[in-house]
Amino acid sequence: MEEYAFVTVVGIDVGERDDTIRVTYQISKPRNFSSKESSTEAEDATEIVSLETPSLFASRNLANVSTSRVLTLVQAKVLIVSEAFAKRGNLLLELESLVRERDFRRDIILVTCKGEAEEFIRTNKPQLEKAPYRYYELITQTDASTGLVPSTQLHDFMVASEGADRTALTILAGVKEDDERGAQVGNLDDLTAGELRLEGNNNVQFLGSAVYRDQKLIGLLSGEETRMAQLVQGKVKQFHMYVPDPDRDGKIVALLARQQRQPIVRVDPFSDPIRISMTIELDLDLAGQQNPDRPVTSYEYIARVERAAEERLKDRLENVVAKSQDELESDFFGLYQTARLRCFTARCWKKVRWGERYAEADIEVDVRTHIRRTGKQLDTVKGGDS
């Protein structure tokens, strides 16, 4: 153990020349993770080294020029690739030496970074976790509670890249952009990493997803678009949303949505065009409302809020479906998995030509909601002048 240096984060950027890449290793210093260490000492709990190299395989030997211990990837938790590197294509081919490495586990978290991966790694300064790898593990587990990022491990990416449409999603990360404009308005979920003006001591953000086809980055999805894709896959446990108050202009109703049942997806791959129907059912909790004149015990009011939520979610989902067909021409929902169940042989599935025909498919979307809980407050809280 004393002879090895454990790499926990690997970053990959394009090199200055076409035949080189820039590799960044974040190496843990286990002795600095004890609870007795101060916050200042915790900042020095890792060592970060970067170098230009013709291949990933050679980079570890070169890194040992300044590192006394032998670098090992047995504890690697996160692989971060820059946006520019991902756009070169053949991502798995570029990472072949890592994929073949016995020490490199395939449950590693795969992240696509806006900008340079090296800058992202050096900028990231977790405030609540002393071990950086633990920070990555925890923040990427929010996929089920918010839906704003997908849950993607290297193995998931490899399987999806070899699927019928060869489309895969990864987590999108970025460094907060310098922006002196006023407060942001509108739907803040409809942003990507780095665009949210969030004040704090850590300037890195995880928001949205990167879309790959044939192992090449072809586009980005915002946090809201990622959530819609996750809902179709049944991977979101709950998330917060709001809708305009149906009885009072300028007021909103806050809701907590829970996906208690798997979505119903039906696909007819043999029709021309392909016909797809998606039904998503959500249970809603009334988290808050701003209308002082409307008690939440009114069945008519609850029904109107449910319709408003259904219309809002259906509109958002239809927009994401249109983006998948018109702009990206990729099935990042994973609908091909349902379609493939209709084919019992490889020859049958080959005749479907899913990748070619998906963009012209006829897709129907239906969202059903039901408010099950209105909270412990039966009436609206009224101010002194109400």
Side-chain angles (χ1 to χ4, degrees):
M1 295 292 289
E2 294 294 329
E3 299 176 356
Y4 293 98
F6 294 98
V7 176
T8 54
V9 181
V10 180
I12 304 176
D13 294 298
V14 295
E16 294 183 359
R17 301 185 329 197
D18 293 338
D19 59 346
T20 63
I21 58 176
R22 186 165 183 83
V23 183
T24 301
Y25 292 120
Q26 188 167 20
I27 308 168
S28 294
K29 300 177 183 177
R31 65 180 181 274
N32 281 344
F33 291 151
S34 66
S35 59
K36 296 181 180 179
E37 300 289 344
S38 66
S39 58
T40 302
E41 292 171 324
E43 293 181 0
D44 300 325
T46 62
E47 177 74 17
I48 300 176
V49 296
S50 302
L51 69 156
E52 292 262 338
T53 176
S55 71
L56 282 169
F57 184 76
S59 62
R60 277 187 289 164
N61 287 336
L62 294 173
N64 277 121
V65 171
S66 62
T67 305
S68 59
R69 302 187 182 190
V70 178
L71 266 64
T72 176
L73 299 175
V74 70
Q75 293 293 335
K77 302 291 185 179
V78 185
L79 174 62
I80 303 175
V81 297
S82 69
E83 188 176 359
F85 183 84
K87 287 181 177 179
R88 287 168 45 165
N90 294 322
L91 183 61
L92 292 179
L93 181 62
E94 295 277 3
L95 303 177
E96 181 182 15
S97 60
L98 282 181
V99 175
R100 290 180 179 273
E101 177 65 52
R102 291 184 63 184
D103 292 344
F104 196 74
R105 299 178 301 180
R106 296 194 178 189
D107 62 352
I108 192 170
I109 301 168
L110 183 58
V111 178
T112 303
C113 172
K114 296 170 68 176
E116 297 181 354
E118 179 185 356
E119 178 190 7
F120 180 86
I121 293 173
R122 294 184 182 276
T123 302
N124 184 25
K125 302 195 180 301
Q127 300 300 303
L128 302 180
E129 304 296 332
K130 293 182 179 180
Y133 71 86
R134 185 59 176 161
Y135 166 81
Y136 288 107
E137 286 181 340
L138 291 176
I139 201 167
T140 54
Q141 289 175 5
T142 62
D143 62 303
S145 58
T146 67
L148 298 178
V149 294
S151 175
T152 306
Q153 298 177 346
L154 180 60
H155 176 75
D156 300 327
F157 180 85
M158 295 174 64
V159 172
S161 298
E162 296 171 356
D165 195 44
R166 299 182 297 279
T167 301
L169 296 179
T170 69
I171 300 169
L172 181 64
V175 178
K176 186 182 72 172
E177 302 172 356
D178 294 330
D179 199 333
E180 301 298 331
R181 292 176 296 175
Q184 290 175 310
V185 296
N187 186 12
L188 299 185
D189 293 342
D190 202 17
L191 300 171
T192 58
E195 297 177 350
L196 181 64
R197 291 200 289 278
L198 179 67
E199 299 300 325
N201 294 323
N202 195 0
N203 289 328
V204 303
Q205 299 177 359
F206 292 80
L207 180 60
S209 55
V211 184
Y212 287 78
R213 185 174 65 234
D214 293 328
Q215 304 176 33
K216 181 178 181 180
L217 179 63
I218 60 172
L220 305 178
L221 299 181
S222 68
E224 180 77 9
E225 292 169 339
T226 301
R227 176 185 289 159
M228 294 298 105
Q230 298 269 79
L231 282 174
V232 174
Q233 298 174 6
K235 294 182 178 180
V236 183
K237 291 183 179 179
Q238 65 179 32
F239 62 93
H240 290 86
M241 62 174 294
Y242 69 89
V243 297
D245 193 305
D247 289 358
R248 179 72 69 90
D249 293 338
K251 301 295 183 180
I252 64 171
V253 179
L255 301 166
L256 174 62
R258 290 188 173 92
Q259 191 173 24
Q260 307 281 23
R261 292 167 292 280
Q262 285 294 309
I264 302 173
V265 179
R266 295 185 175 89
V267 181
D268 183 1
F270 306 115
S271 64
D272 190 17
I274 296 173
R275 290 185 298 181
I276 303 172
S277 66
M278 300 182 294
T279 302
I280 296 176
E281 299 184 27
L282 298 174
D283 292 340
L284 305 179
D285 291 357
L286 187 63
Q289 59 121 348
Q290 300 174 339
N291 188 349
D293 302 322
R294 175 58 63 184
V296 297
T297 53
S298 170
Y299 290 107
E300 294 80 6
Y301 176 71
I302 292 297
R304 288 195 291 272
V305 173
E306 289 175 346
R307 286 195 297 271
E310 291 171 355
E311 292 173 0
R312 186 179 183 88
L313 289 169
K314 182 178 179 180
D315 180 66
R316 294 296 174 87
L317 185 53
E318 287 178 341
N319 290 339
V320 178
V321 169
K323 184 172 183 176
S324 73
Q325 292 186 290
D326 302 335
E327 181 179 339
L328 301 178
E329 298 182 354
S330 298
D331 172 26
F332 51 75
F333 300 103
L335 298 171
Y336 76 89
Q337 297 178 11
T338 303
R340 198 163 188 171
L341 297 176
R342 299 286 302 275
C343 297
F344 299 102
T345 64
R347 179 181 298 178
C348 171
W349 176 247
K350 187 176 181 179
K351 292 180 178 179
V352 172
R353 306 193 331 274
W354 182 266
E356 301 174 22
R357 301 171 59 207
Y358 171 76
E360 303 299 328
D362 181 15
I363 302 180
E364 296 182 359
V365 175
D366 185 25
V367 179
R368 302 172 185 175
T369 63
H370 180 63
I371 296 180
R372 293 192 175 275
R373 305 172 188 87
T374 58
K376 295 183 291 184
Q377 184 73 26
L378 297 180
D379 203 353
T380 307
V381 178
K382 303 185 186 310
D385 297 329
S386 299

